Amino acid sequence: MKRNYRGKRQMKTNKHIQDIIREAALSRDKAAKRELLIKSGGSRSWFYDAIKKYKEIGEAFFIHKNKNNKHAQKRTHMQALEISRIFRDEYLNCNFRDFMRYLKADKRYDYQWVSYSYIYNILRSKNHCSKLAHKKTIKLLAKEEELKNRPQSLLVPSSATERAKENIHIARPRTQRRGHVVEADATFWRFSDEEIWALHGYIDEASGEVLGLYFDHQETTEGYFNALKPVLKNYGTFEVLRTDKRRTFWSEKKESSPEDSRIQFAFVAKNLGIDIQSSISPQFKPRIERLWKTIKGTITTFMEQNKVTNINEANLVLPKFVEYLNNHVVTLQKDFTTNSFKKFEGDLNIILGHKSIRVVARDLTVTYEKKKYFICNFTTPLNIPRREIMIIQCCDGNLIASLGDNYYSMIEFDNEMLYKSKVVLENEGVKPEDMPQKIKNNSVWAQSNFIFFKKNTQVDIKSTPIKLAIY
């Protein structure tokens, strides 16, 4: 006969088993004891040991030895109050999980033993809400608060099904290639009562990995370029960039003829092989929209921990913050099949610089930001009057000029250089018919001599020799 063996603690506390042991202790009939053994479902050795101990100590046998003893790891009410106070006074801008990490690492307190469920239950019991709380949780808390303040006669019960229908959201499927789609956006974060900074960022749509972040005082094209630097440097180029319809990425002319685009970002994206897709809907780039909510729940505490006082110090610690996000906060997806990132070896200082068109005057100078410059091959000005040329302000602040496939240095205006020997551009290997001609349409970008936008060919930066003469 198969017996149902149970734990000794459970058998001792079962009233049915207790009655069997009492009856067996009083009985002297062996056959009756065997029947009681079968009814108990326990082993023979356990059954007779239980009878023996019951005869020795009586009813105390059924009482657990630790009944009135305190648990060695039992947490006190004072510890819960202290944890709630620490969160309210020092980590109010932090989410629950990051607060748990900071509390464990804080040497002022001895709370290495805390768990997320323990922290969550304490803070929720004190009516604290996490910065990363779901919309459903926030709505339920608001309704609970409303019900507390509403008169008892006006309370109307609402079903859980109706509350769930209010929060229906269909998740968008991810792409299967890492580096295929990258989402870009910016959000504003209040550093102090006087300062509000714009945080620019890029995130990989397939894996959810944060690629690059950068702070600026406003949402600017330069901010997106600076956030793109670590992406190209650490990961490489990608295929598709999803953005909103900000003028940094999108224009009406771009849809009909890409060559007519006057957007600075379009020059970089076209040559790198990046297709910019823009939409006014936030659901078009859901990963980075959700990332902003995650970041705002943890960045305030992170900046306080690193003692950041200005925007320059904040940008210096952002790479460390990106690493912290990818290792601890963001849930990375690893079910993608291939990696579409391509290694990038270009000069970011030139590629991400600001580009503009200027016309060389009769005195062989160009005007840029209220200053005059010579376009020089080493120290000799080029004899190209009334010609259009592309001026590039590099990321480090230096100015260079681009004509055809060549780069030239720019030297600030000097009267003595007007009387020195001048080099005709034909001697540099450029034929007259290859020179930029008069613009036939209204766009100065369509007929530009800049290597990014040749009319019939797309030049690859990796294979294009750069001839740069610096004075």
Side-chain angles (χ1 to χ4, degrees), residues 270-331:
K270 179 175 174 130
N271 187 262
L272 297 179
I274 299 174
D275 179 25
I276 301 179
Q277 299 178 359
S278 302
S279 175
I280 197 173
S281 174
Q283 285 77 18
F284 185 68
K285 43 182 178 54
R287 312 303 172 196
I288 197 164
E289 294 289 351
R290 185 61 182 86
L291 175 67
W292 295 142
K293 187 175 181 181
T294 302
I295 286 179
K296 288 181 179 180
T298 186
I299 192 172
T300 303
T301 307
F302 186 87
M303 293 299 173
E304 292 174 356
Q305 294 284 332
N306 289 272
K307 300 178 180 179
V308 173
T309 58
N310 54 62
I311 194 170
N312 294 328
E313 294 179 359
N315 284 321
L316 291 177
V317 301
L318 275 182
K320 182 180 177 182
F321 180 63
V322 171
E323 182 180 358
Y324 171 75
L325 288 175
N326 292 329
N327 293 337
H328 301 286
V329 180
V330 178
T331 303

Side-chain angles (χ1 to χ4, degrees), residues 122-135:
I122 289 177
L123 298 182
R124 282 297 303 274
S125 65
K126 302 300 180 182
N127 295 327
H128 291 297
C129 184
S130 172
K131 294 294 181 180
L132 299 183
H134 291 275
K135 188 181 295 184

Side-chain angles (χ1 to χ4, degrees), residues 105-121:
D106 200 332
K107 297 182 180 179
R108 296 176 297 171
Y109 311 104
D110 185 19
Y111 287 116
Q112 287 79 13
W113 48 267
V114 295
S115 62
Y116 176 73
S117 59
Y118 181 73
I119 293 290
Y120 179 85
N121 293 330

Side-chain angles (χ1 to χ4, degrees), residues 357-360 382-390 402-406 408 425-426 430-440 444-451 453-454:
I357 292 291
R358 293 293 186 273
V359 178
V360 180
L382 296 180
N383 188 10
I384 49 173
R386 297 185 178 181
R387 299 295 184 181
E388 289 186 344
I389 195 168
M390 180 68 74
S402 172
L403 188 61
D405 293 342
N406 298 328
Y408 297 94
L425 192 61
E426 284 79 358
V430 181
K431 298 180 181 180
E433 54 268 20
D434 295 333
M435 297 281 289
Q437 303 299 321
K438 185 178 179 180
I439 303 301
K440 298 180 180 179
V444 297
W445 305 98
Q447 299 286 342
S448 172
N449 58 322
F450 188 56
I451 63 171
F453 272 79
K454 283 197 169 182

Side-chain angles (χ1 to χ4, degrees), residues 140-327:
L140 291 177
L141 289 175
K143 285 188 177 181
E144 290 176 2
E145 190 68 24
E146 182 183 355
L147 292 175
K148 289 180 181 178
N149 300 328
R150 186 181 299 179
Q152 194 71 21
S153 59
L154 300 178
L155 294 180
V156 179
S158 59
S159 64
T161 306
E162 293 177 355
R163 293 199 302 267
K165 288 181 179 179
E166 297 177 0
N167 301 278
I168 293 177
H169 184 276
I170 301 175
R172 180 171 182 161
R174 295 177 181 266
T175 57
Q176 296 300 313
R177 288 185 294 159
R178 181 172 177 263
H180 173 55
V181 176
V182 172
E183 298 176 0
D185 195 19
T187 186
F188 287 93
W189 174 66
R190 183 178 291 277
F191 174 72
S192 63
D193 295 337
E194 296 81 14
E195 293 187 77
I196 298 178
W197 299 341
L199 181 61
H200 306 71
Y202 295 84
I203 186 173
D204 180 53
E205 200 271 344
S207 63
E209 185 176 3
V210 184
L211 306 179
L213 297 173
Y214 185 80
F215 273 120
D216 206 342
H217 293 287
Q218 295 292 334
E219 185 177 0
T220 60
T221 302
E222 183 180 359
Y224 283 107
F225 276 145
N226 287 319
L228 184 62
K229 285 182 184 179
V231 182
L232 298 177
K233 184 178 179 181
N234 301 329
Y235 299 91
T237 60
F238 43 90
E239 298 179 6
V240 178
L241 179 65
R242 288 179 181 169
T243 67
D244 53 14
K245 285 195 172 182
R246 185 174 176 82
R247 292 300 182 185
T248 298
F249 310 102
W250 175 87
S251 69
E252 296 177 355
K253 290 186 177 181
K254 181 183 176 183
E255 302 298 330
S256 58
S257 56
E259 290 80 6
D260 288 345
S261 174
R262 304 189 183 197
I263 302 175
Q264 293 286 331
F265 208 95
F267 285 108
V268 178
K270 179 175 174 130
N271 187 262
L272 297 179
I274 299 174
D275 179 25
I276 301 179
Q277 299 178 359
S278 302
S279 175
I280 197 173
S281 174
Q283 285 77 18
F284 185 68
K285 43 182 178 54
R287 312 303 172 196
I288 197 164
E289 294 289 351
R290 185 61 182 86
L291 175 67
W292 295 142
K293 187 175 181 181
T294 302
I295 286 179
K296 288 181 179 180
T298 186
I299 192 172
T300 303
T301 307
F302 186 87
M303 293 299 173
E304 292 174 356
Q305 294 284 332
N306 289 272
K307 300 178 180 179
V308 173
T309 58
N310 54 62
I311 194 170
N312 294 328
E313 294 179 359
N315 284 321
L316 291 177
V317 301
L318 275 182
K320 182 180 177 182
F321 180 63
V322 171
E323 182 180 358
Y324 171 75
L325 288 175
N326 292 329
N327 293 337

